[in-house]
C-alpha cells in the first residue's frame, strides 16, 4: 500500500473515531442543557400557576392541556417538586408523544392543590436532531478537508523522498556516474540522503576494491600460467624424452591448461556478477543460437549424435550478446558431452521459449550441479551450469529443468 | 621479419624472444611504454606483440603513438583474459588481433604470421612449404601444382601446422585452435583425429610425402622429411 494512502486511511479512521466520540459528548451535553432548560420552564410555569391560584383565579380557567390543577388531600408531593418523563396521547395527530412533567402539591390558604405541568419534548428532540445533522455535515466537510489537505501536503512533503527512491532505483553500482541527491528543506530527508550517500560510497569503494582484487588475482595467475605452459611446450620439443618424462610433462601441461580454464571460468562468473557485461536492447537470440549450432555442428556429427533443430521464432531479449554466446555454447556443449553414444540432441524455439533437449546416460542432474564446482564427471570443470544459472538469474530468464524419458530438458523462458 | 615484443614480465618476455628467434624472427624487446614508444619512433617493425598492462601505463598508449607515426606494423594485443574493454578499445585503436593470457604459443605464432601476411604481402598471400603452396586469400591449396580439396577445418589445421613447422604441437593446442575457448571437455581430442587422419591422407595422396608425424603421448609435428 502506498504511504500516502496508508497515512490518509489511518487519518480517516482516527478522525472518525474522534468524531463519533465528540458526537456522543455533544449530544449528551446538549440533552443535559435542554433538560435543565425544560425543568426551569416547568418550575417557572408552576410558580405562575401558584401565583394565579393565590390571586383567586378560578381553577377551571387555569386548567388546560399543559397544566392540570386540582384540589387534593394527599400531601405526598407537598412542596416537593418531582420531575418525570411521560407519554401523552395527542389528539391532533392521533399519537403518543413524549412529555416532561412537573408534579407538586402546594398549600394555598387552607387548601392543597396538586399541580401538574406538562411540556412537550418534540421541539427539543427535533432541535437535537437538527444540531446533530449540522454537526455531522460540518464533520464530514472537515474530514474531506483533512483528507485532501493531507494528500496535498504529504505529496509535497514526501517529494524529496520519492526523488531519492527514483535516483537509487536508477543507480548502477558499476557505473562511473556518482549518485546525485538534492538538498531538501526536511532535516530527516537530508539525513537519509547523507546516510545513503555515505553507504553507497562505502559499498562502491568495497566493490571496486573487490573487483580490482579479482582482476589482479586473475591477471597475476595468467602470466605464471603462460610461463609454465610455455616451458612445458619447450620441454616437449626435445627429441630425447623417455616415456615417463613425457607423461610427467604432459600432466603438468594438462593441469596448467585446466587451471587456466578454471581461472577463465571464475573470472567470467565474477564479471557476470559484477555486471561488467553491458546489457544491450533487443538482442536477437535466434541469430546467435543459429550461429552457435553451426559452430558445434561438426562436434555433434563427429560424436555420432543426431541433431534436430527447429529454430524459427525470433526471440529478442535485453542482454549482453557475448553472454548469450556463452549461455548457448554451454548448453550445446553440455548436450554433446553428457550424451550417450548415438544419442540425440534437440534444439527448438517457441514464442518466448528456447529448449535444449538431449538423451542422457546417467539419469537426472543433481540440483547441486547448478552451484559452483559440483560436477558429475572428472573431466569437466563444474562451472558450466553455475554460469548458466547466473546469466539467467541476472537477465530475467527463467530456467526450467526436467528429466523425462532419459532426456535432459532445459528450457529458457523469456 | 622484425618483431617488437612489448612485455614487462621478464620471464614471459624471455620465452617470447626465445620462441620467435627460433622461428627466424629478428626480435627486439621493450618493457615499458616509454621504451616501446622510443623504439617505434626509431625503427620499423613488421609486427608488434603488445602487452596491455605495463608498469608505466597502458599498452594502448603505445598503440596511439604508433598510429601517429604511420607505422605499418601489424599489432597483436596480449592482455589479461578478463579485460574485454581492452579488447574492444584495442581493436578500435587499430590493433589487428587480440589474444588473452595465458595463450598458446603456437596459436600466437600462427596469428602473428597471419597478420604479417595480411599487412605486408598484399595481393600475393602465398604460404609455401616444400611442395605445398597455399593462397591464403582464395584459400586454395596446391600440392605439386595439383589443387587439392580441403574442408575448412583441414585448411585451418594445415596453416596452423605450417606456421609452426618443426615443432611438436600438442593435441590441446590443436583443439584450442580449431574450436577456440568453447572446448573445456578434454575428450574433444577424438574430434581432431578424424581431421588429422583426413588431412594426412589427402597430402600423401597428392604428394607421396608424409609431413605429419605423430609424437607419441604428446601430439603432432609437421616437418620436411
Amino acid at each position: 500500500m502506498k504511504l500516502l494512502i496508508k497515512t490518509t486511511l489511518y487519518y480517516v479512521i482516527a478522525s472518525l473515531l474522534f468524531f463519533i466520540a465528540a458526537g456522543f459528548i455533544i449530544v449528551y451535553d446538549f440533552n443535559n442543557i435542554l433538560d435543565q432548560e425544560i425543568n426551569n420552564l416547568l418550575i417557572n410555569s408552576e410558580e405562575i400557576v401558584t401565583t394565579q391560584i393565590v390571586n383567586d383565579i378560578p381553577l377551571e380557567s387555569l386548567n388546560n392541556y399543559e397544566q392540570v390543577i386540582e384540589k387534593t388531600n394527599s400531601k405526598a408531593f407537598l412542596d416537593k417538586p418531582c420531575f418525570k418523563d411521560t407519554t401523552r396521547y395527542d389528539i391532533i395527530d392521533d399519537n403518543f408523544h413524549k412529555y416532561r412533567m412537573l408534579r407538586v402539591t402546594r398549600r394555598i390558604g387552607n387548601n392543597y392543590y396538586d399541580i401538574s405541568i406538562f411540556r412537550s419534548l418534540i421541539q427539543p428532540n427535533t432541535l437535537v436532531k437538527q444540531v446533530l445533522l449540522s454537526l455531522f455535515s460540518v464533520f464530514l466537510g472537515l474530514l474531506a478537508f483533512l483528507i485532501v489537505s493531507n494528500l496535498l501536503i504529504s505529496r509535497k512533503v514526501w517529494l524529496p523522498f520519492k526523488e531519492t527512491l527514483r535516483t537509487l532505483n536508477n543507480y548502477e553500482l558499476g557505473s562511473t556516474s556518482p549518485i546525485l541527491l538534492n538538498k531538501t528543506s526536511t532535516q530527516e530527508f537530508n539525513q537519509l540522503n547523507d546516510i545513503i550517500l555515505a553507504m553507497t560510497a562505502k559499498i562502491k569503494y568495497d566493490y571496486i576494491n573487490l573487483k580490482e582484487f579479482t582482476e589482479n588475482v586473475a591477471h597475476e595467475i595468467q602470466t605464471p600460467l603462460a610461463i609454465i605452459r610455455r616451458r612445458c611446450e619447450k620441454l616437449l620439443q626435445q627429441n630425447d624424452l623417455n616415456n615417463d618424462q613425457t607423461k610427467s610433462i604432459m600432466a603438468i601441461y594438462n593441469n596448467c591448461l585446466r587451471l587456466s580454464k578454471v581461472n577463465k571460468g571464475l573470472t567470467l562468473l565474477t564479471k557476470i556478477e559484477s555486471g561488467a557485461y553491458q546489457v544491450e536492447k533487443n538482442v536477437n537470440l535466434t541469430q546467435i543460437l543459429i550461429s552457435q549450432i553451426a559452430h558445434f555442428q561438426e562436434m555433434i556429427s563427429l560424436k555420432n549424435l543426431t541433431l534436430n533443430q527447429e529454430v524459427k521464432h525470433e526471440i529478442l531479449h535485453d542482454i549482453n550478446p557475448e553472454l548469450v554466446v556463452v549461455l548457448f555454447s554451454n548448453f550445446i556443449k553440455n548436450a554433446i558431452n553428457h550424451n550417450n553414444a548415438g544419442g540425440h540432441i534437440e534444439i527448438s524455439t517457441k514464442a518466448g521459449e528456447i529448449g535444449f533437449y538431449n538423451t542422457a546416460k546417467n539419469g537426472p542432474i543433481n540440483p547441486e550441479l547448478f552451484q559452483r564446482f559440483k560436477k558429475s564427471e572428472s573431466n569437466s570443470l563444474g562451472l558450466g551450469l553455475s554460469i548458466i544459472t547466473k546469466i539467467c538469474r541476472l537477465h530475467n530468464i527463467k530456467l526450467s529443468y526436467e528429466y523425462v524419458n532419459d532426456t535432459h530438458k532445459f528450457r529458457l523462458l523469456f | 621479419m622484425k618483431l617488437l615484443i612489448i612485455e614487462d614480465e621478464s620471464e614471459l618476455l624471455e620465452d617470447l624472444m626465445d620462441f620467435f628467434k627460433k622461428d627466424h624472427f629478428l626480435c627486439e624487446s621493450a618493457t615499458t611504454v616509454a621504451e616501446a614508444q622510443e623504439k617505434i619512433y626509431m625503427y620499423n617493425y613488421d609486427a608488434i606483440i603488445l602487452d596491455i598492462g605495463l608498469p608505466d601505463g597502458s599498452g594502448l598508449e603505445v598503440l596511439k603513438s604508433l598510429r601517429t607515426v604511420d607505422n605499418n606494423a601489424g599489432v597483436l594485443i596480449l592482455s589479461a583474459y578478463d579485460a574485454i574493454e581492452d579488447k574492444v578499445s584495442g581493436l578500435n585503436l587499430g590493433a589487428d588481433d587480440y589474444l588473452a593470457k595465458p595463450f598458446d604459443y603456437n596459436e600466437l605464432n600462427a596469428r602473428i604470421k597471419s597478420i604479417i601476411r595480411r599487412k605486408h604481402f598484399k595481393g600475393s598471400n602465398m604460404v609455401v612449404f616444400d611442395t605445398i603452396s597455399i593462397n591464403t586469400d582464395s584459400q586454395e591449396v596446391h600440392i605439386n601444382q595439383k589443387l587439392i580439396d580441403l574442408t575448412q577445418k583441414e585448411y585451418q589445421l594445415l596453416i596452423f601446422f605450417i606456421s609452426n613447422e618443426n615443432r611438436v604441437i600438442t593435441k590441446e593446442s590443436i583443439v584450442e585452435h580449431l574450436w577456440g575457448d568453447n572446448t573445456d571437455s578434454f575428450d574433444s581430442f577424438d574430434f581432431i583425429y578424424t581431421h588429422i587422419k583426413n588431412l594426412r591422407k589427402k597430402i600423401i595422396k597428392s604428394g607421396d610425402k608424409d609431413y605429419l608425424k605423430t609424437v607419441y603421448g604428446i601430439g603432432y609435428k609437421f616437418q620436411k622429411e
Side-chain angles (χ1 to χ4, degrees):
Chain A
M1 199 189 281
K2 278 182 106 175
L3 182 71
L4 216 54
I5 294 171
K6 207 167 185 172
T7 48
T8 310
L9 201 69
Y10 281 133
Y11 229 130
V12 168
I13 291 171
S15 309
L16 270 180
L17 288 178
F18 174 78
F19 287 164
I20 289 167
F24 274 113
I25 292 167
I26 286 170
V27 168
Y28 178 77
D29 274 358
F30 212 78
N31 272 336
N32 270 355
I33 291 167
L34 280 177
D35 272 3
Q36 209 69 48
E37 214 45 40
I38 287 174
N39 289 354
N40 286 342
L41 217 69
L42 290 172
I43 290 167
N44 246 346
S45 300
E46 187 265 330
E47 274 170 6
I48 292 170
V49 169
T50 313
T51 319
Q52 283 170 332
I53 297 170
V54 169
N55 289 338
D56 281 338
I57 291 170
L59 286 188
E60 296 78 48
S61 63
L62 289 179
N63 265 326
N64 57 31
Y65 188 72
E66 287 196 321
Q67 48 194 50
V68 180
I69 304 129
E70 47 194 25
K71 285 187 177 173
T72 181
N73 290 324
S74 153
K75 293 166 193 169
F77 293 107
L78 181 64
D79 291 338
K80 279 184 203 147
C82 169
F83 295 98
K84 213 174 129 191
D85 280 330
T86 179
T87 50
R88 295 179 85 202
Y89 180 71
D90 194 339
I91 219 159
I92 296 165
D93 58 355
D94 186 27
N95 214 338
F96 285 93
H97 288 292
K98 280 187 170 177
Y99 276 82
R100 173 155 281 239
M101 67 176 280
L102 167 67
R103 191 170 175 195
V104 69
T105 309
R106 296 282 183 206
R107 181 172 176 238
I108 298 165
N110 288 324
N111 296 320
Y112 292 92
Y113 296 92
D114 182 21
I115 304 169
S116 297
I117 314 280
F118 298 90
R119 272 291 177 272
S120 166
L121 286 177
I122 292 177
Q123 264 184 329
N125 275 349
T126 35
L127 194 66
V128 168
K129 272 181 199 155
Q130 281 297 326
V131 166
L132 260 182
L133 205 67
S134 56
L135 258 182
F136 186 69
S137 45
V138 166
F139 281 167
L140 219 61
L142 197 65
L143 197 65
F145 173 74
L146 272 179
I147 291 170
V148 171
S149 62
N150 183 41
L151 280 175
L152 290 177
I153 291 169
S154 296
R155 187 161 292 168
K156 187 165 165 43
V157 165
W158 287 96
L159 202 67
F161 182 74
K162 279 191 173 163
E163 223 159 82
T164 303
L165 276 187
R166 202 177 321 119
T167 318
L168 281 182
N169 196 25
N170 293 334
Y171 180 64
E172 252 180 86
L173 195 55
S175 74
T176 43
S177 58
I179 216 166
L180 280 177
L181 298 172
N182 295 329
K183 266 256 172 282
T184 73
S185 52
T186 316
Q187 192 196 346
E188 282 82 358
F189 289 152
N190 278 337
Q191 217 172 342
L192 176 74
N193 287 354
D194 288 346
I195 291 168
I196 287 173
L197 284 179
M199 231 165 68
T200 44
K202 170 88 177 84
I203 292 170
K204 196 169 180 175
Y205 177 77
D206 287 349
Y207 168 81
I208 288 169
N209 263 356
L210 191 68
K211 203 176 157 212
E212 274 175 4
F213 177 75
T214 40
E215 276 170 9
N216 284 345
V217 167
H219 187 86
E220 292 307 317
I221 287 175
Q222 277 157 1
T223 306
L225 281 175
I227 294 168
I228 295 171
R229 186 170 172 176
R230 173 61 203 137
R231 295 290 151 101
C232 286
E233 282 173 348
K234 228 165 133 182
L235 283 175
L236 291 171
Q237 302 300 328
Q238 293 173 7
N239 291 322
D240 52 354
L241 290 176
N242 65 33
N243 225 340
D244 275 354
Q245 287 167 329
T246 309
K247 267 189 189 159
S248 297
I249 297 168
M250 280 311 282
I252 298 172
Y253 179 76
N254 277 328
N255 280 295
C256 173
L257 288 187
R258 195 184 171 81
L259 201 55
S260 308
K261 280 178 176 156
V262 170
N263 192 37
K264 279 184 187 181
L266 283 178
T267 314
L268 179 67
L269 264 180
T270 319
K271 282 194 79 95
I272 297 170
E273 270 168 43
S274 70
Y277 288 90
Q278 295 290 322
V279 172
E280 288 174 24
K281 288 266 172 218
N282 291 326
V283 175
N284 190 330
L285 301 187
T286 318
Q287 248 171 31
I288 299 177
L289 181 61
I290 289 170
S291 74
Q292 280 302 303
I293 294 173
H295 185 87
F296 284 99
Q297 198 100 50
E298 196 180 5
M299 280 201 181
I300 293 170
S301 57
L302 282 171
K303 261 214 148 182
N304 285 325
L305 303 172
T306 50
L307 172 70
N308 185 7
Q309 51 169 318
E310 190 99 10
V311 183
K312 282 176 193 137
H313 296 80
E314 186 167 76
I315 295 169
L316 303 175
H317 195 69
D318 296 347
I319 193 172
N320 180 289
E322 285 194 54
L323 287 184
V324 182
V325 173
V326 172
L327 187 68
F328 291 161
S329 65
N330 266 303
F331 272 121
I332 303 175
K333 247 175 349 193
N334 280 345
I336 296 171
N337 290 337
H338 303 284
N339 217 319
N340 47 17
H344 183 73
I345 296 174
E346 188 184 327
I347 299 170
S348 65
T349 58
K350 282 182 205 159
E353 183 183 323
I354 299 178
F356 297 88
Y357 313 118
N358 69 283
T359 47
K361 40 189 169 185
N362 302 334
I365 294 173
N366 185 336
E368 281 185 359
L369 281 171
F370 290 92
Q371 293 158 18
R372 275 179 204 194
F373 296 121
K374 303 278 181 181
K375 52 184 187 169
S376 56
E377 285 168 37
S378 58
N379 63 358
S380 66
L381 290 171
L383 279 174
L385 277 178
S386 62
I387 289 174
I388 288 174
T389 318
K390 187 123 286 164
I391 294 176
C392 288
R393 197 164 52 77
L394 287 174
H395 294 91
N396 297 321
I397 302 171
K398 201 172 165 276
L399 173 66
S400 92
Y401 170 73
E402 327 168 78
Y403 186 79
V404 191
N405 296 333
D406 287 336
T407 305
H408 294 300
K409 292 190 169 188
F410 285 97
R411 257 194 290 262
L412 295 174
L413 306 168
F414 299 94
Chain B
M1 290 289 131
K2 274 187 81 179
L3 182 67
L4 175 63
I5 302 170
I6 306 164
E7 166 64 60
D8 61 318
E9 202 77 35
S10 63
E11 272 183 280
L12 198 57
L13 180 63
E14 195 187 307
D15 277 344
L16 285 164
M17 298 277 282
D18 182 53
F19 182 86
F20 282 103
K21 271 178 187 161
K22 276 193 184 144
D23 229 20
H24 313 296
F25 277 92
L26 284 171
C27 297
E28 285 194 40
S29 67
T31 54
T32 61
V33 171
E35 196 187 343
Q37 279 169 337
E38 198 182 305
K39 288 207 164 156
I40 57 168
Y41 284 129
M42 286 168 67
Y43 311 106
N44 274 316
Y45 296 94
D46 296 304
I48 295 173
I49 295 174
L50 178 61
D51 182 24
I52 292 289
L54 294 171
D56 59 341
S58 161
L60 295 175
E61 288 168 41
V62 180
L63 203 52
K64 280 179 205 160
S65 340
L66 188 70
R67 292 308 156 213
T68 62
V69 296
D70 195 30
N71 196 319
N72 196 30
V75 178
L76 185 140
I77 288 178
L78 279 186
S79 141
Y81 169 76
D82 47 316
I84 316 170
E85 301 85 0
D86 289 348
K87 179 179 174 180
V88 174
S89 44
L91 294 178
N92 280 342
L93 280 170
D96 299 277
D97 208 346
Y98 169 93
L99 207 54
K101 286 182 190 173
F103 51 88
D104 180 76
Y105 276 73
N106 301 315
E107 181 69 35
L108 176 64
N109 188 18
R111 291 204 192 191
I112 284 289
K113 285 183 177 164
S114 156
I115 288 176
I116 292 173
R117 274 200 305 275
R118 272 192 315 225
K119 282 256 169 186
H120 301 282
F121 301 102
K122 290 185 188 101
S124 61
N125 292 354
M126 298 300 289
V127 175
V128 179
F129 176 87
D130 203 24
T131 58
I132 305 174
S133 62
I134 303 168
N135 184 327
T136 53
D137 274 344
S138 59
Q139 303 208 341
E140 279 174 350
V141 180
H142 287 84
I143 298 178
N144 287 329
Q145 278 82 47
K146 261 184 291 176
L147 181 70
I148 62 165
D149 188 29
L150 295 181
T151 65
Q152 185 58 32
K153 284 277 186 305
E154 286 161 4
Y155 172 81
Q156 282 178 323
L157 256 180
L158 184 62
I159 288 277
F160 191 56
F161 276 131
I162 291 177
S163 300
N164 293 294
E165 61 175 290
N166 289 325
R167 209 176 263 145
V168 178
I169 298 173
T170 60
K171 286 171 280 183
E172 289 81 358
S173 275
I174 297 171
V175 168
E176 210 174 291
H177 180 71
L178 290 187
W179 282 287
D181 276 347
N182 282 316
T183 44
D184 52 24
S185 70
F186 291 94
D187 55 31
S188 48
F189 299 140
D190 302 342
F191 304 157
I192 65 170
Y193 293 140
T194 325
H195 290 303
I196 286 174
K197 207 175 69 196
N198 291 341
L199 178 63
R200 179 185 255 158
K201 245 192 248 165
K202 286 179 183 174
I203 295 172
I204 292 173
K205 206 177 131 197
S206 38
D208 295 328
K209 278 187 180 173
D210 187 9
Y211 301 112
L212 202 52
K213 304 276 179 297
T214 305
V215 184
Y216 179 75
I218 305 173
Y220 302 92
K221 196 170 176 178
F222 203 78
Q223 62 181 18
K224 291 172 197 165
E225 279 164 322

